Amino acid sequence: MFDNLPEDLPRRETLRVWHTLWLGRIDAKIAAVRQRQAETEQGRRRRPEPPDWTVELGIGTGRPPVQVHAGDCHMAAKRRRPVDRDEARRLLADCMRPCTHCRPDTQLDIPDLPRGTTLALPHRPLPQGHQHDEHATSPATGLRP
């Protein structure tokens, strides 16, 4: 089957050296892949369990809590800290906004929590020249909105 090898000894020795080098390269690549797989598996085994509940933290001084999430919710921001079940229930009962994706209020079985609670935003006055009167007319058309 492999009868097409060269007849002379120096060329056969060259082929042997060449194949030995290639086997070394292949063995090194196999060892590297096995090492990566072992490290990945070890990391997977050592990874801590996600917390049951997290609270998303705001920006600024003191980083106040903003929203409660389930521990595995992918909608939680990077600024968060783990909380236990009792603290999550207390935060939700104190009108902390629940995540609309993972619904921790439903998971924690808090039936009397008002749905769609949001933090009250301060009132901003309208810029000069803007009227929001139902009897006002548009300056461009002269029609009422």
Side-chain angles (χ1 to χ4, degrees), residues 17-122:
V17 169
W18 184 79
H19 282 284
T20 302
L21 291 173
W22 268 103
L23 280 176
R25 290 179 68 189
I26 292 169
D27 289 344
K29 293 289 184 180
I30 289 172
V33 169
R34 285 184 178 153
Q35 178 69 24
R36 263 195 315 269
Q37 288 175 344
E39 290 170 356
T40 301
E41 182 59 32
Q42 183 179 14
R44 188 176 298 118
R45 279 186 273 122
R46 288 186 177 180
R47 183 175 299 133
E49 291 293 320
D52 291 335
W53 310 100
T54 61
V55 63
E56 185 176 332
L57 302 173
I59 300 174
T61 306
R63 296 169 52 153
V66 176
Q67 197 172 29
V68 178
H69 294 272
D72 59 349
C73 180
H74 67 274
M75 297 299 285
K78 292 183 188 245
R79 295 176 317 276
R80 61 180 178 249
R81 67 176 170 85
V83 294
D84 61 8
R85 180 180 181 86
D86 292 335
E87 186 174 358
R89 288 179 60 87
R90 183 186 57 76
L91 288 169
L92 289 170
D94 290 344
C95 294
M96 175 73 53
R97 188 172 58 185
C99 173
T100 58
H101 177 74
C102 64
R103 300 306 307 224
D105 52 338
T106 305
Q107 293 181 33
L108 288 167
D109 196 30
I110 303 177
D112 56 347
L113 183 67
R115 300 290 181 225
T117 57
T118 58
L119 299 175
L121 298 175

